[in-house]
Amino acid sequence: MTTESNSVPVLEVHDLVRHYRLPRESLFAEPGHVFALNGVTFEIHKGKSFGIVGESGCGKSTLARNVMALEPTDSGSVKILGKEVVGLSFDQLRPLRQHFQMVFQDPYGSLDPHHNVGRIVAEPLAALGAISKAERESRVHDVLLSVGLKPQDVSKYPHEFSGGQRQRIAIARALITHPELIVADEPVSALDVSVQAQVLNLLKDLQDEFGVTYMFISHDLAVVEYLCDEVAVMYLGEIVEKGRTEDLFETPAHPYTRILLDAVPKPGSGQKRERIKLKGNVTGQTEQRVGCAFQDRCPMAQDVCREIKPPLSPVAKDHLAACHFSDSMTEKR
Amino acid sequence: MSLLNVKDLSVILATNEGPARAVRNLSFRLNRGETLGIVGESGCGKSMAALALMGLLPEQSETLGEIKLDGQNLLEKSDAEMCQIRGNRLAMIFQEPMTSLNPVHTVGHQIMEPLRLHRNMSENEAKAEVLRLLDRVGIPNPKERIDNYPHQLSGGQRQRVMIAIALSCQPDILIADEPTTALDVTIQDQILELIQTLVREEGMALILISHDLGVISENTDNILVMYGGCAVEAGGTAQIFEELIHPYTQGLFAAMPKLGRARGGRLVTIPGTVPDLMGLPMGCTFTDRCPLATEVCRNTPPPIVEVKPLQFVACHHLDEARTRKTEELFS
Ligand SMILES: Nc1ncnc2c1ncn2[C@@H]1O[C@H](COP(=O)(O)OP(=O)(O)OP(=O)(O)O)[C@@H](O)[C@H]1O
Ligand SMILES: Nc1ncnc2c1ncn2[C@@H]1O[C@H](COP(=O)(O)OP(=O)(O)O)[C@@H](O)[C@H]1O
Ligand code: SF4
Ligand code: SF4
Ligand SMILES: [Mg+2]
Ligand SMILES: [Mg+2]
């Protein structure tokens, strides 16, 4: 695995915005909006895993869909291998699709039950244009082996597989075009622990073998710590902290990150530990706040937090946080 | 005498492929003020065991053994008597609050119903009690929330309403089946803390069911680890985490990514998949995935041995399970 630090990143996301319009409540009222993504910026280099964490509804899946160009983006830029994909038409996107593929959370819903495994796995090859039957079969054969399935499985149907095996099928489908980037939205969340470990190890092995780049979404911080080189923490459609996994988990510079880490139950740690907690309730996403997005729930909030929005700014090398009091967070530890 | 004494509980479900044993010879005790955790992966029988305690199993099922609440065997009670017991002594919280709340009634109405039915309260008394309960479970502005429908509440708030309904019958035993599995970690933390506080202050006993060893570890006094319908390891929470003995418990713990562990290593994996009830061996249900399995395991149910005070393990090859390192077992 080599990483030329001055190479073009596999994925560059710049100031990405996505606001969903809500239906009008009355003829004369202004339509409301869900502010799902409010300017997200990050990049991922070749062969790296980039984790995205945050609570339900913070915009993780919306980000994934916009990176994958599966829905229209309001503004901002998504470059895959240096090429802009925002604003491209379906036909323009098609030849590019081979470079970025997606794995979804639900190993039951994401595979067409009427198609056999061979057909499901080969589907993305359509983007490559005409290829021979022999080439297609050999690719399917190889990719099934690389995810730990048997070549004979091609003629079986999804219902004949367990959850973990179905997730392997989904991963095989994502791998078959030899993509540079795989966007995985909660790929192991629906799996049992013993099976989740098999799939996580597989994702790691595939990266070592093929140098794939992952954008990996999960609500499970331990899973992200295990797999990812870098992490971004999202809150209400924004990245509030970003950095190398070890730095961010060891020295969180945003109170929300600290609270998330503290809330994870730890097996074998005995009864409850001392920790800081969230206050208040989830803030609505249909209004945009003046000041810090986290102010209503932050145990450290001061007057300045309600007036001035803290920018995402460096707290250490390759470590960014959006909090007026990041310095005191990192000092305390 | 224990508050609850379960002996040799088995649940047999009638399926298309024939009878399936979802719970096999489960035994445990629960005292007032105690918290018991039941942990295991999907399909291991946690919910079936809980439904058996509540007398809420599907029609096509058979329950064997004894469930003694204050010395009285619940399996001998009539439906009407069980209904009374559910109204006064046992309460259950389910995983998905959205499906267990009725979408067409306000939350106030749903909490009020059992109060009127089981505690014979007048409308006004019941209403006052609903406000008190909503406040008790940490719902802000109960007066406004009482008229909300479930879809108007967040996941965490719905689970709080479920807890309020469970509390409304002032149960002796609260059974919480994966109460936080559908919630974010921060909300999970709040809900578990709420349950703990209520259990302590109301003097209830709690059975907490989860697939998450972390949740179980932090919230219980005793643990029961289930696999394929059987209890494979049981005992004091602290004791068990000091030394995990059963091969399945060891594997389950090692397969979990844990915060603060250095990256780069590989996770231990248990070969194979979570089993189907049909076709499980008569002997140890873990046989097909266990690295220590021998012929005796497949055919003979392992004896339950008190390996040390407060730690019981069901395995034919205890010595090997204890001496071999987990990483060496599953490699
Ligand atoms: N098509 C849509 N129309 C309106 N609002 C939407 C739409 N899709 C998503 N949203 C809203 O945008 C916000 C972000 O949603 P998103 O699905 O990205 O969350 P998430 O972080 O993936 O959450 P989870 O962890 O639950 O998967 C939420 O408030 C959601 O309700
Ligand atoms: N109504 C039913 N009919 C037949 N089998 C069932 C039924 N409900 C559950 N089962 C089976 O019983 C076993 C135990 O289920 P359950 O107790 O729900 O597991 P869990 O430990 O995940 O709560 C599983 O194999 C499940 O598929
Ligand atoms: S800026 Fe203020 S409100 Fe926002 S996270 Fe920092 S301390 Fe909390
Ligand atoms: S050694 Fe035998 S009895 Fe013990 S867990 Fe393995 S299969 Fe079961
Ligand atoms: Mg999502
Ligand atoms: Mg269950």
Side-chain angles (χ1 to χ4, degrees):
Chain A
M1 225 168 52
T2 52
T3 39
E4 306 95 304
S5 50
N6 51 2
S7 68
V8 180
V10 169
L11 175 67
E12 288 165 280
V13 174
H14 188 75
D15 206 14
L16 202 64
V17 174
R18 178 72 174 123
H19 295 167
Y20 296 103
R21 229 173 124 114
L22 293 172
R24 268 174 207 269
E25 295 208 336
S26 80
L27 202 54
F28 306 105
E30 278 292 301
H33 286 92
V34 178
F35 298 99
L37 287 181
N38 302 310
V40 169
T41 300
F42 66 95
E43 57 183 48
I44 317 180
H45 286 269
K46 183 167 172 51
K48 296 284 178 191
S49 303
F50 189 87
I52 294 173
V53 300
E55 65 199 337
S56 184
C58 72
K60 304 182 296 291
S61 299
T62 303
L63 177 60
R65 284 194 302 272
N66 282 269
V67 164
M68 290 300 299
L70 293 175
E71 64 176 34
T73 301
D74 290 2
S75 67
S77 140
V78 174
K79 286 186 182 156
I80 293 187
L81 298 170
K83 193 157 176 20
E84 180 65 56
V85 298
V86 169
L88 293 190
S89 69
F90 186 80
D91 282 342
Q92 290 169 310
L93 275 167
R94 200 159 49 176
L96 294 177
R97 288 257 178 235
Q98 58 180 294
H99 302 302
F100 56 120
Q101 294 285 341
M102 184 150 176
V103 178
F104 296 91
Q105 163 165 3
D106 179 8
Y108 299 91
S110 63
L111 305 177
D112 188 330
H114 305 297
H115 293 173
N116 67 24
V117 170
R119 179 159 173 197
I120 290 172
V121 169
E123 187 226 61
L125 289 176
L128 301 184
I131 59 168
S132 71
K133 186 159 178 271
E135 162 85 12
R136 193 175 70 221
E137 280 174 5
S138 104
R139 285 244 197 157
V140 170
H141 175 273
D142 293 351
V143 81
L144 286 180
L145 282 179
S146 67
V147 300
L149 292 169
K150 293 192 273 304
Q152 304 87 281
D153 290 337
V154 285
S155 52
K156 294 195 189 158
Y157 288 82
H159 73 263
E160 297 174 65
F161 294 89
S162 69
Q165 288 169 323
R166 286 181 222 204
Q167 211 50 307
R168 285 171 194 264
I169 298 170
I171 293 168
R173 174 175 61 186
L175 276 173
I176 196 159
T177 56
H178 305 164
E180 287 289 336
L181 175 70
I182 291 186
V183 174
D185 189 359
E186 306 266 11
V188 295
S189 306
L191 304 177
D192 276 298
V193 176
S194 67
V195 178
Q196 167 182 290
Q198 296 166 3
V199 174
L200 286 174
N201 283 345
L202 170 68
L203 289 171
K204 249 190 175 166
D205 293 344
L206 293 170
Q207 187 164 55
D208 291 345
E209 198 174 334
F210 304 114
V212 216
T213 307
Y214 292 128
M215 174 174 145
F216 187 89
I217 295 175
S218 178
H219 67 278
D220 186 333
L221 281 86
V223 164
V224 165
E225 184 182 44
Y226 173 73
L227 196 77
C228 297
D229 304 283
E230 273 190 280
V231 194
V233 180
M234 282 183 69
Y235 189 79
L236 293 184
E238 291 171 21
I239 292 181
V240 296
E241 183 163 5
K242 188 167 69 132
R244 280 202 299 263
T245 310
E246 50 270 38
D247 298 341
L248 192 135
F249 280 39
E250 206 131 286
T251 332
H254 194 284
Y256 180 60
T257 310
R258 172 75 192 279
I259 290 168
L260 276 183
L261 286 165
D262 277 2
V264 178
K266 306 188 178 53
S269 68
Q271 299 280 327
K272 293 282 181 184
R273 305 147 279 121
E274 268 306 300
R275 56 208 200 265
I276 58 166
K277 298 200 184 100
L278 276 186
K279 45 175 239 186
N281 281 305
V282 190
T283 317
Q285 272 163 299
T286 49
E287 51 179 320
Q288 275 184 316
R289 300 298 239 126
V290 176
C292 176
F294 191 48
Q295 57 184 287
D296 292 342
R297 299 169 82 194
C298 182
M300 289 167 46
Q302 307 289 323
D303 288 344
V304 59
C305 308
R306 286 177 267 278
E307 286 148 21
I308 301 167
K309 185 178 174 65
L312 189 62
S313 39
V315 290
K317 186 173 182 306
D318 297 331
H319 188 171
L320 304 163
C323 170
H324 293 302
F325 302 101
S326 289
D327 290 346
S328 68
M329 288 278 312
T330 46
E331 270 159 29
K332 251 189 280 171
R333 291 217 123 188
Chain B
M1 188 172 60
S2 302
L3 174 64
L4 183 70
N5 194 345
V6 174
K7 232 171 106 188
D8 286 329
L9 177 68
S10 291
V11 174
I12 297 149
L13 299 166
T15 70
N16 291 338
E17 291 116 283
R21 296 216 288 164
V23 177
R24 299 192 190 190
N25 300 356
L26 201 63
S27 299
F28 63 87
R29 287 159 191 272
L30 183 66
N31 294 314
R32 220 168 269 283
E34 258 179 17
T35 300
L36 171 73
I38 302 184
V39 67
E41 296 178 285
S42 64
C44 72
K46 306 181 295 290
S47 299
M48 288 294 128
L51 292 176
L53 297 180
M54 294 291 293
L56 290 174
L57 281 171
E59 291 273 296
Q60 315 288 6
S61 66
E62 191 186 353
T63 317
L64 307 173
E66 266 179 23
I67 301 173
K68 284 196 167 164
L69 180 64
D70 278 334
Q72 298 197 41
N73 190 353
L74 299 187
L75 295 182
E76 288 162 3
K77 301 279 177 201
S78 69
D79 285 353
E81 286 170 319
M82 271 317 286
C83 190
Q84 270 300 315
I85 289 169
R86 279 195 298 272
N88 297 314
R89 308 213 50 193
L90 297 172
M92 183 154 169
I93 311 170
F94 298 90
Q95 167 166 351
E96 212 344 292
M98 201 54 201
T99 51
S100 19
L101 287 171
N102 188 334
V104 303
H105 290 300
T106 64
V107 298
H109 177 92
Q110 297 186 55
I111 307 175
M112 198 130 52
E113 216 169 32
L115 293 172
R116 307 260 294 157
L117 198 71
H118 293 294
R119 285 169 66 191
N120 301 320
M121 287 187 178
S122 72
E123 175 121 22
N124 283 337
E125 283 170 334
K127 189 149 186 190
E129 180 67 2
V130 171
L131 292 176
R132 190 188 73 82
L133 285 168
L134 285 176
D135 184 58
R136 189 89 179 87
V137 297
I139 299 234
N141 313 327
K143 279 211 179 73
E144 291 160 30
R145 292 302 187 174
I146 198 167
D147 294 321
N148 277 171
Y149 290 88
H151 75 265
Q152 294 171 301
L153 304 177
S154 71
Q157 286 173 330
R158 281 181 217 137
Q159 202 53 291
R160 286 176 195 270
V161 169
M162 282 303 301
I163 296 172
I165 294 175
L167 285 182
S168 69
C169 75
Q170 301 175 309
D172 296 309
I173 300 177
L174 180 64
I175 302 173
D177 187 1
E178 308 258 12
T180 58
T181 302
L183 304 175
D184 285 310
V185 276
T186 52
I187 314 295
Q188 161 168 293
D189 202 45
Q190 293 170 353
I191 297 289
L192 288 172
E193 185 160 299
L194 171 67
I195 293 178
Q196 289 289 0
T197 311
L198 293 171
V199 164
R200 201 168 48 240
E201 290 175 3
E202 314 274 324
M204 292 181 282
L206 171 69
I207 298 180
L208 179 65
I209 297 176
S210 175
H211 66 281
D212 185 334
L213 272 177
V215 166
I216 293 291
S217 160
E218 289 191 349
N219 293 283
T220 62
D221 307 313
N222 295 298
I223 310 186
L224 198 92
V225 183
M226 287 185 72
Y227 187 86
C230 299
V232 296
E233 184 153 4
T237 307
Q239 276 86 348
I240 288 189
F241 277 101
E242 218 159 83
E243 185 194 1
L244 306 171
I245 296 178
H246 194 279
Y248 175 65
T249 323
Q250 289 192 43
L252 186 66
F253 183 78
M256 259 184 94
K258 284 167 281 288
L259 268 187
R261 292 291 164 89
R263 213 155 40 86
R266 288 174 68 81
L267 292 169
V268 163
T269 58
I270 305 177
T273 57
V274 176
D276 202 26
L277 280 185
M278 299 313 287
L280 274 179
M282 274 318 291
C284 175
T285 47
F286 193 47
T287 308
D288 290 329
R289 300 176 76 191
C290 181
L292 293 179
T294 59
E295 217 30 52
V296 62
C297 303
R298 180 170 303 280
N299 301 319
T300 319
I304 298 177
V305 179
E306 183 162 13
V307 179
K308 43 189 174 177
L310 284 181
Q311 186 162 4
F312 299 82
V313 184
C315 174
H316 285 294
H317 302 300
L318 272 179
D319 290 340
E320 263 189 282
R322 290 185 77 174
T323 49
R324 301 261 298 267
K325 285 238 161 46
T326 306
E327 289 71 25
E328 186 189 313
L329 274 180
F330 298 94
S331 56

